[in-house]
Amino acid sequence: TSAACRSGRGCPVTERVAFTVREAAAAVGVDPRVLYQAIHARELMARDRTLVLVPIRAYKVGRAWRILRDDLVAWVRGQEPSS
C-alpha cells in the first residue's frame, strides 16, 4: 500500500474503507445531494409519504458523514434498474 493510500489521498476505490459523501458520489456518478437524501431517507419519508428513497447507511465522524465501501455498493445494488 502506498503512502498516499495510507493517508487517504489518491487511494484506489478497491482499497478505500470509507468515503466522504462527495467522494462516494463521484465514485458512483451521482450528485452529492442524492446521497445526503439517502442518508436522511427515513426522516424524509416519514414527513412526506409520497417520497420513495433507498436509504444508505452512513456514519458521522466529527462533523462529516462517512459511507463505508460495502454500504455504498449495497446502496447502488438496491437501486431499481432503468428500463
Side-chain angles (χ1 to χ4, degrees), residues 3 15 18 22 31 34 47 54-56 58 66 73 75 78-80:
E15 295 183 32
R22 285 180 189 246
D31 190 282
V34 172
R47 280 188 255 161
V54 177
I56 190 169
R66 297 289 187 261
V73 170
W75 180 78
Q79 300 298 313
E80 285 193 27

Side-chain angles (χ1 to χ4, degrees), residues 22-35:
R22 285 180 189 246
E23 291 168 339
V28 297
V30 299
D31 190 282
R33 291 176 289 192
V34 172
L35 289 180

Side-chain angles (χ1 to χ4, degrees), residues 62-81:
R63 293 174 48 192
W65 288 99
R66 297 289 187 261
I67 300 171
L68 296 178
R69 179 182 58 232
D70 292 344
D71 293 331
L72 183 61
V73 170
W75 180 78
V76 169
R77 287 187 177 147
Q79 300 298 313
E80 285 193 27

Side-chain angles (χ1 to χ4, degrees), residues 24-57:
V28 297
V30 299
D31 190 282
R33 291 176 289 192
V34 172
L35 289 180
Y36 281 116
Q37 285 179 342
I39 290 169
H40 300 289
R42 288 181 181 88
E43 301 163 30
L44 294 170
M45 289 188 298
R47 280 188 255 161
D48 183 349
R49 302 226 184 255
T50 63
L51 286 176
V52 178
L53 301 168
V54 177
I56 190 169
R57 188 170 26 189

